[in-house]
Amino acid sequence: MRDAAPQTIYLKDYTPFGYLIDSVSLTFKLHPTETRVLSRIAFRPNPDATDQTFFLHGEELKLISAKIDGAEVSPVVTDEGLTIENAPSAPFIWESEVEISPSTNTALEGLYMSNGMYCTQCEAEGFRKITYYPDRPDVMATFDVRIEGSENVLLSNGNPGASGEGFAEWSDPWKKPAYLFALVAGDLNNHPGSFTTRSGKDVELNIWVRPGDEDKCAFGMQALKDSMKWDEDVYGREYDLDIFNIVAVDDFNMGAMENKGLNIFNSSCVLASQATSTDADFERIEAIIAHEYFHNWTGNRITCRDWFQLCLKEGLTVFRDAQFTADMRSEPVKRIDDVIALRARQFPEDQGPLSHPVRPEEFQEINNFYTATVYEKGAEVIGMLKTLVGHDAYYKALDLYFERHDGDAATIEDWIKVFEDSTGRDLAQFKRWYSQSGTPKVSVREEWDAEGGTFTLHFNQSTAPTPGQDVKDPRVIPIALGLLNPNGDETHSTQIFEMTEAEQALTFTGLSARPVPSILRGFSAPVMLEQDIDNTRRAFLLAHDTDAFNRWEAGRELARDALLKMILEDAAPDAAYLEGLKRVVTDTSLDAAYRALMLNQPSETELAGVIAEMGQTPDPVKIHAAAKALSKAKAESLADALPALYTENQPSGAYAPDAKGSGQRALANSAMSLMGKLGDVEKARAQYASADNMTQQIAALATLVREGEGDAEVQAFYDQWQEDRLVINKWFGLQISLAKPEEAAAVTERLTQHPDFDMKNPNRFRGTLGALAGNHAGFHHASGAGYKLLADWLIKLDALNPQTTARMCTSFQTWKRYDDGRQAMIKAQLERILATPNLSRDTHEMISRILG
Ligand code: BES
Ligand code: ZN
């Protein structure tokens, strides 16, 4: 629980710890309420440190005994740890014994229990809830672990050692920080596998699950093998232990965790089967398995010096997992998906009260900085760096990074220096991407000199002030662009224009006709592009651009523009947009996934953000009405084509969650949903009844529910899946996401009374209250019932699980976009949360920042 005054930690205050650790040995005597943890740690003074205070972090621990070199000592103990005054100035052995209670640990940090199984989550600062230790990432050590417990399976990091009735020993030869420690004990079954590294080493692979889940592991196992191979082929990185274990856990705050040799996964991010997982689930599972596996090099072998450097491992690893997905599936589709996600999650963060640099400079609770900015913008920064230096130089720099920093706890300065040294480039200005927050706006003005055949693009960049940063300096912005001639042929293929000044121009000469520029191809920088472009031009690019991303973007902008005119000017749906859409969607030379993406429209939340960026006040009611009206208009315009789109895109043969099959199902399901808009739900009803996979089953259910025709199917779905907790999460979420605006809060409230609602399970809590926050018109209904309900539940959850509560506070981050009435209602709820006695440090920090 929070002390009176929350403490702020600053990057500039970094100092190394006073001691180094040669080895750690831990013994766990497992018990639900009285687990004993014995530690034996060899410390020696750190020659690089000036401060030799011997402070060990420790929270919620019952200290049984403490010894230095075998003699009992009496530390000064506080809520945050212990201090030994006059610790030895020569190497010494620290021994302690503590008692902890995993079964009452609802925060899911440290050692806790989930369905009778012991598991750990130590990143970022959870190890201090297990034993007294310098719990900071720059303190690295080898760990030997002995687990004593009656469970069948006893796991920890590294390679297995001795084991027998009631015990198992593990030893991790690689130095690691405490946040990568893991322990699992339970009656589990495994799905085994193996991998031979390119140097010929055999690695044992396992996915450990609760009995009954064994049939949902095959896909994850394949994804793991694909990831191991890919990291060898693309980055030249091999796995470095004899064994790699993955464990699925039901109660988990995050998606998954990269503990050395023992990855722990939220069961929703690893268990997969045709009957219970959607295509999107399969793709996500493949990406998360890759992400955590890739951390073995980018995160574990090279870790972070301190938590301010989080993007060093997360931004880079997100970038790597995106490269992997692009290679495994479709590069343009992955890029489009990522840009949609960036605009949905990172842009609002960067343009609101929670805006912070990719490398933050201060925090109260580090758990609050596992953000879209650190992750997704962090990955965009790596992508820009790769664009600037080029493919070969990028991989050469990465080789130097691994060579120079293997075994280190590194910083962003180290990372940048590697690129400078290996390419000879000065990256001082580029580094602003790490220190300046806010989304840059890039505007472009065109100048055409017909007589001289000269075409000039005048660029301007600016970034609005963000909390704590009033003045912004120009950044290095790689702008990928090409030119088309009026016939639609590309005359200038993609080149990279490096913008470094606030204003800069680029001139093309010797042109015979005014060209059409295609700017920011592939979304080459995370900026907002403003160009002088009308719908004729957009339709032209939609038809002719050679860059798949910009072609999609042109269609997206047509949709956005049509919606904005409907919302702000009560206009009718734009006929030219509908025509262009029809052409693309019925063009069978384009792949199905891409056509399905084209058929989507910007979300209501995104539209609210766009309207706010225009300096106007978004009205959730009008936005909702326009979104519905545009869907209806699309359905009418495509009416003749829909039946064929539906039937021609039923994948043939056995179900496979690959790019092709997923794309076809996505397109067919969109067609089905549009037919629903025309009052035809027969396809949906038939598909619901016959589906042999969750993608088609739940899409059919969604269409029926959206058209108010799904009551029987909602009940049938529950009856069919009530024993499957992951599918039931979807059942909760779907009803709330699709609830009518005036009913969303009541539907949510009713579902929180359902016997299967369990606030202690983060997946269920997010699936329910998170779905409410995601239902834009429902959450922002003028009654304020949505705001109040979410606040009620956040207050309740905070007492049990601060980390998940604080993350969900972000649902309120855009509150200043809305009208005075809604602002006042949200503010009242935020203040009510803030006034809650004993509010966690996590939630306190988030709400204070959101209130501003
Ligand atoms: N290291 C994180 C997990 C983590 C985050 C633990 C915050 C504790 C606090 C892990 O590598 C991660 O980033 N997981 C993501 C999924 C990934 C695919 C981006 C997650 O859990 O959401
Ligand atoms: Zn990660």
Side-chain angles (χ1 to χ4, degrees), residues 317-337:
T317 306
V318 170
F319 180 71
R320 276 152 49 71
D321 82 54
Q323 289 182 298
F324 169 78
T325 297
D327 284 355
M328 299 290 291
R329 292 164 180 264
S330 150
E331 186 179 331
V333 170
K334 173 61 177 164
R335 187 63 189 142
I336 292 166
D337 285 343

Side-chain angles (χ1 to χ4, degrees), residues 121 123 254-258 288 291-292 295 313-314 370 375 803:
Q121 173 54 40
E123 188 179 2
M254 300 290 292
M257 176 65 208
E258 70 264 26
I288 299 190
H291 177 98
E292 306 310 338
H295 269 313
K313 74 177 179 84
E314 294 302 347
Y370 286 75
Y375 273 67
Q803 196 184 333

Side-chain angles (χ1 to χ4, degrees), residues 51-115:
D51 180 358
Q52 230 108 50
T53 309
F54 188 71
F55 172 79
L56 302 181
H57 295 105
E59 288 176 11
E60 294 161 46
L61 305 173
K62 184 164 146 197
L63 182 61
I64 307 292
S65 75
K67 291 181 194 158
I68 286 183
D69 288 333
E72 289 277 349
V73 290
S74 309
V76 180
V77 181
T78 68
D79 285 351
E80 284 165 17
L82 62 74
T83 309
I84 298 285
E85 276 146 14
N86 311 318
S89 52
F92 64 93
I93 303 294
W94 161 265
E95 288 168 285
S96 77
E97 179 165 357
V98 301
E99 187 178 291
I100 54 181
S101 172
S103 69
T104 52
N105 177 354
T106 56
L108 314 183
E109 244 185 6
L111 179 66
Y112 66 95
M113 298 192 79
S114 172
N115 287 316

